[in-house]
Amino acid sequence: MKKVVLIYPRVLDNIEEKTFLPLSLLSIAALLKNVEVKIIDQRINKDWEKDLIGSLDKDVVCVGITSMTGPQLKQAIDISETVKKTISAPVIWGGVHASLLPEQTLANEFVDIVVIDEGDITFPELVNCLIDKKELDSVNGIAYKKNGAVIFTAPREPLSMEALPEIPYHFIGDITPYIGVNDETIYKRTLPIQTSRGCPYRCAFCYNTTFNKKKWKAKDSRRVIKEINELVEKYNINGVFLIDDNFFADLKRVKEIFAKIKDMSIVLHNLTCRIDTFFRFDDELIGLMREVGVQSIYLGVESGSPAVLKRLNKDINIEQVLISSDKFRNTSIKPVYSFMIGFPFETENDIRKTFKLIYLLKKRNKSAVFGLNIFNPYPSNIMKECTGKGFISPEKTEGWANDWRHIKLPWISQRQMDRFKKAAFSVDLLYDPSVFKSAGKRLLTSLLLNLSLFRIKHNFFSLYFEERSLRFFKDLKRTCSKQAKP
């Protein structure tokens, strides 16, 4: 029987990383017919290279590899090289990075074909085309090399999520390594699902404007509940981790899902929402969220500066952010806000406004949690402004594989970058001490919270010792733990 090998490369440089089910690979495998499907997940398989080489025989039609900008690309390139040195079957890349930069991806000697955008229908058609030895131009939604040139076929028509088959979990075999643990709640057995794709908005830094063409689509509420029920019955889970880009795009659908799930003893994690949508939440929806047991909701604010928000095409305002923070002040639901600093058009005054907004949100709602990231150039609509400020966009895929935590941004001095990193760490420490059972943890968290609030409020990051101290205590705890083991 013909065979297709699908590979999920490591996302981080080390093998110890949080792993979710490779839903992207399972989804494109769902429509593969009359072929053997072999999935190799480099994140959990220490013998992945041995398994890969052992799978590369004469029956292999092709090898598919997913790609995401960052360190995962290095792994994907190395895997592709291993494949090409072993067999002559084509190596096919898919995923966000290859879709955004198909020509550059195909410039790599170890990549033969790129599946552009969603591959659920495109990839199975491509596999059948390769088996039947047809011309590749008969498959829409791909780019490939021919006689030294890159050929693009006609774009793939947008697909309907309702038309997609169920996820073939049986291709994984043992699903145990993917059942995640959420320490914040009693709902510890979680698996991810995707109920919708895309986002209808126009944020300048987001891949969705290109990859999903600012479109949003979803499974209806009945199908979502059916899929959750099946996971509960088959794998005894009590939590679901959503990987939707914008779960709350259709509030009517959200209410239907919550109304049906509230009696299932299932908690939904990683609920993503826009501020302007969150601003429109009514009492009925908030009540349903409380009944369901929603622990937190993730909100992208990005900046406290109206000028920066306008440049980012966020289409939100500061008043909405502040008022929305009050909606859950007397509930157990935590708003989790994400911010970014370091944009090429951002001034010092803009950054101070971001710090001020973070401070105000924490003072208005003590349960609020924050993430502050340093902006990294990424294949998006904002790239032109980055290159205009001296950023040299990588000319090869290998360049995008660099560790973005240490990337050099020409508009930010090393001194500023050091301050940004300290600010990001301080923002991460803005936890509510009352959530901890241990008196020691509550005391330490309270001290760090007040210190971080002082630093954020006054933009003061000198005499910084918090990160080094916490790392010392973590290393000490890890050492004691190892010594205590028999």
Side-chain angles (χ1 to χ4, degrees):
M1 178 181 285
K2 294 295 184 181
K3 179 165 56 176
V4 172
V5 180
L6 301 175
I7 306 171
Y8 200 104
R10 288 201 307 268
V11 177
L12 303 177
D13 293 328
N14 57 70
I15 201 165
E16 294 180 5
E17 58 182 89
K18 191 172 184 179
T19 54
F20 293 108
L21 275 168
L23 286 179
S24 57
L25 299 186
L26 289 172
S27 187
I28 65 170
L31 287 172
L32 290 173
K33 305 297 182 185
N34 302 316
V35 295
E36 177 188 345
V37 178
K38 171 74 172 179
I39 293 180
I40 297 175
D41 191 339
Q42 192 187 31
R43 298 171 300 170
I44 66 170
N45 187 346
K46 293 183 179 180
D47 295 323
W48 67 269
E49 189 168 15
K50 179 181 177 182
D51 287 352
L52 172 60
I53 294 175
S55 302
L56 299 178
D57 54 36
K58 60 181 179 59
D59 294 322
V60 173
V61 178
C62 61
V63 175
I65 303 173
T66 192
S67 63
M68 180 170 63
T69 308
Q72 189 183 56
L73 294 178
K74 180 181 184 304
Q75 310 299 333
I77 292 170
D78 290 345
I79 292 168
S80 301
E81 182 178 7
T82 297
V83 173
K84 298 304 290 183
K85 287 181 176 179
T86 308
I87 59 173
S88 60
V91 170
I92 304 170
W93 276 32
V96 173
H97 184 87
S99 294
L100 296 181
L101 297 172
E103 286 186 279
Q104 191 180 87
T105 301
L106 286 168
N108 187 285
E109 61 181 312
F110 306 120
V111 184
D112 301 300
I113 305 170
V114 166
V115 171
I116 300 174
D117 300 336
E118 296 171 296
D120 309 74
I121 295 174
T122 303
F123 187 78
E125 282 190 10
L126 178 56
V127 169
N128 290 333
C129 176
L130 293 170
I131 292 174
D132 296 337
K133 294 182 170 49
K134 294 182 179 178
E135 291 295 323
L136 292 178
D137 59 9
S138 64
V139 180
N140 291 343
I142 66 171
Y144 62 96
K145 290 183 282 197
K146 183 176 182 180
N147 299 326
V150 173
I151 309 296
F152 286 84
T153 65
R156 171 70 56 181
E157 288 296 315
L159 57 84
S160 165
M161 290 196 75
E162 287 300 321
L164 296 177
E166 294 181 359
I167 296 294
Y169 295 101
H170 63 277
F171 285 140
I172 289 296
D174 181 14
I175 208 169
T176 304
Y178 297 101
I179 297 179
V181 174
N182 188 323
D183 294 328
E184 295 178 2
T185 73
I186 61 171
Y187 299 92
K188 294 184 179 295
R189 293 181 58 82
T190 65
L191 281 174
I193 65 168
Q194 186 178 53
T195 78
S196 66
R197 290 181 185 174
C199 180
Y201 295 91
R202 61 190 189 111
C203 299
F205 55 86
C206 185
Y207 80 98
N208 262 309
T209 55
T210 302
F211 190 87
N212 288 304
K213 314 297 187 294
K214 292 191 292 188
K215 303 294 184 183
W216 181 85
K217 55 197 170 193
K219 300 171 184 175
D220 68 36
S221 59
R222 289 170 297 179
R223 177 164 179 180
V224 172
I225 296 301
K226 178 176 178 290
E227 291 183 359
I228 292 174
N229 264 320
E230 290 173 350
L231 288 176
V232 171
E233 293 173 2
K234 193 167 185 179
Y235 301 111
N236 191 31
I237 65 166
N238 51 24
V240 170
F241 190 94
L242 297 172
I243 59 171
D244 299 28
D245 289 311
N246 190 345
F247 177 69
F248 288 92
D250 181 345
L251 294 184
K252 179 175 180 292
R253 169 180 171 270
V254 169
K255 288 180 180 180
E256 291 172 352
I257 292 172
F258 284 158
K260 293 173 184 177
I261 207 175
K262 64 183 181 181
D263 298 321
M264 293 175 61
S265 296
I266 285 287
V267 165
L268 302 180
H269 303 285
N270 196 47
L271 280 70
T272 52
C273 185
R274 281 180 54 88
I275 282 291
D276 51 348
T277 304
F278 185 50
F279 183 73
R280 295 187 285 108
F281 279 18
D282 56 25
D283 291 340
E284 179 191 3
L285 179 53
I286 293 174
L288 282 170
M289 292 176 72
R290 296 177 71 171
E291 288 184 68
V292 170
V294 171
Q295 303 294 306
S296 56
I297 181 168
Y298 290 79
L299 302 154
V301 181
E302 318 315 346
S303 177
S305 165
V308 172
L309 291 176
K310 185 176 181 180
R311 296 286 289 272
L312 295 176
N313 298 332
K314 281 295 295 183
D315 298 327
I316 62 173
N317 60 59
I318 303 302
E319 182 184 12
Q320 290 173 331
V321 178
L322 290 171
I323 294 176
S324 66
S325 75
D326 299 333
K327 286 183 177 287
F328 292 129
R329 187 156 49 189
N330 297 317
T331 75
S332 60
I333 302 171
K334 291 187 303 188
V336 182
Y337 298 101
S338 69
F339 287 86
M340 285 192 284
I341 54 175
F343 296 107
F345 43 76
E346 192 174 39
T347 67
E348 181 62 31
N349 189 44
D350 292 326
I351 293 169
R352 287 178 180 271
K353 288 179 180 179
T354 293
F355 291 164
K356 179 182 177 181
L357 181 57
I358 291 172
Y359 177 82
L360 290 175
L361 288 171
K362 188 63 179 180
K363 297 300 284 188
R364 289 172 81 122
N365 188 338
K366 68 177 183 179
S367 69
V369 179
F370 304 87
L372 177 64
N373 296 305
I374 300 171
F375 169 73
N376 286 328
Y378 182 84
S380 65
N381 294 336
I382 207 171
M383 183 55 70
K384 184 179 290 186
E385 303 214 41
C386 296
T387 54
K389 281 292 188 77
F391 176 72
I392 301 175
S393 180
E395 297 180 355
K396 296 182 178 181
T397 302
E398 291 88 335
W400 291 106
N402 291 333
D403 186 343
W404 293 123
R405 288 170 298 182
H406 306 297
I407 196 168
K408 176 64 178 175
L409 303 177
W411 54 90
I412 298 177
S413 69
Q414 187 57 54
R415 185 176 179 180
Q416 286 176 309
M417 181 62 75
D418 290 341
R419 180 167 63 93
F420 289 174
K421 289 178 180 178
K422 292 172 182 176
F425 191 79
S426 291
V427 167
D428 284 344
L429 296 176
L430 298 178
Y431 277 95
D432 178 6
S434 65
V435 302
F436 296 102
K437 296 179 181 179
S438 163
K441 283 187 177 180
R442 286 199 301 272
L443 176 61
L444 177 60
T445 304
S446 179
L447 291 172
L448 290 172
L449 167 65
N450 285 293
L451 177 57
S452 294
L453 281 172
F454 175 84
R455 290 191 183 282
I456 294 298
K457 181 180 181 180
H458 298 284
N459 190 25
F460 178 77
F461 300 100
S462 298
L463 305 175
Y464 203 85
F465 63 88
E466 295 94 310
E467 185 173 10
R468 183 175 296 179
S469 299
L470 283 178
R471 284 180 178 172
F472 170 78
F473 284 116
K474 285 182 179 179
D475 290 342
L476 183 63
K477 183 179 178 181
R478 193 179 300 115
T479 302
C480 293
S481 231
K482 288 180 180 179
Q483 290 176 349
K485 289 182 180 180

